Amino acid sequence: MRLAELAGRRVGVWGHGREGRAAVRAALTAGAAGVLVVDAVPPTDLPPGVQAGSDVADLAGCDVVFRSPGISPYREDARALAARTTLVSGTGVALAEFTARDVPTLCVTGTKGKSTTSALAAVVLSAAGRPAVHAGNIGTPLLDVLLDGQVGRASATGPTSLVVEVSSYQAAAVEGWSGWGAVTSLAPEHLDWHGDVETYYRDKLHVFAACGPGSVVVSPQARPIAEQQLDPAVLVDPADVVPEARLAGFPLERLAGVHNVANLHVALAACVRMGADLDRSAEAVRAAVADFRALPHRLSPVATRDGVTFVDDALSTTPVSVRAAIDAFAGRQVTLIAGGQDRGLDYTDLAAAVVARRGTVQVLTIPDTGARFAADLRAAAAAAGVDAPVTETGSLAEAVAEALRTARPGGLVLLSPGAPSYNRFRNYEELARTYEQILLDAGARRV
């Protein structure tokens, strides 16, 4: 659906988060005949003439309804509404508009690594003389980018490009888009929203369903799964575009972990597919990559005390991402703080990996998943004939206090929960702020 199709129609907006606010703006800009916003707590800060309510059934009277990403289409109320009116997403409408306007667009998704990879791609494109705007799930809704006219403007090297971080929630609602794509990693996540692993993978990759041959760069880890959901002809291995030997020429000096080298490889390959010339711009790209820092809440050092470094990896919400986090600090003594909302993910492989580190990783667990993870660690330790490297705590504050007491100079304390934080905090950002504040109150120095 294009923006112009909203003119003269009654538009509903289900959910008033960032994307919901952008949808209200888009509907008013397009000349909608009326706008109704429905949220559990009806918003009061709406533009003049925009109505608000809390009853989802009222949206059935709208011609078009923007469904916010956090609302699963598999919910009973969502299915009922879809049978009575047209449901769209802000990401889908914006991508259709960008396609019609010939804006060069790269969509990046994956269970983990999509934020870093999309940010790297935007940096590489810009360094290669192809200015790019980074938006989407990273924080700026695509409808706002569209309405602000941030992309598509002509430059000496062509129009400004768009690099989009796409979540599985957003990808599931995109229909018929064809452009450039990148897939970082795939592992079970968000099963409460998608229902099961197979549906999660299908929804995650749905954004690329209409892409053409050779348009989607996919990491080796994700390829077997991607081939089950997409035509293999659509997929490209990063090494077939950028030989692995070339990676040494683009060192990540401020970003830890072999998984981030893989993310860089995907980003570089996707940029080349979009037309970036790494040979002509090698020095500029090398400098940009070397200067690239960890994004907030992704293996980001936040404080030090008594020779101990404290790292914020609050965006780590799966066992796979925790494994990548501890692997990023191989050779260091790590105190891992893990736990959060229980979505039924399997922690046995992570537990085995921790035990295999032979005491160099000590775990402090917090509710709710902490109990299951601790049990898995004890079972893995018993099978290996070693002491279980785990202490259960009742809260983040208790875990940090224990880490402050036990971590030794030269060591590292890593908050990498391996689960969402909604059971105790509003979101991962509040979790990270709380972590940092506890440290500062204990005399740690911010870095």
Side-chain angles (χ1 to χ4, degrees), residues 279-305:
D279 293 321
R280 189 179 61 188
S281 54
E283 286 303 320
V285 172
R286 182 180 297 111
V289 169
D291 196 48
F292 187 89
R293 295 175 180 269
L295 298 174
H297 318 306
R298 300 162 180 86
L299 294 181
S300 178
V302 293
T304 62
R305 198 188 84 158

Side-chain angles (χ1 to χ4, degrees), residues 241-284:
V241 182
V242 178
E244 289 191 19
R246 291 213 62 189
L247 292 178
F250 303 101
L252 285 166
E253 297 180 2
R254 300 174 183 266
L255 208 58
V258 294
H259 65 291
N260 279 321
V261 176
N263 290 336
L264 173 63
H265 201 180
V266 170
L268 289 171
C271 291
V272 170
R273 296 297 292 163
M274 290 184 74
D277 189 335
L278 295 185
D279 293 321
R280 189 179 61 188
S281 54
E283 286 303 320

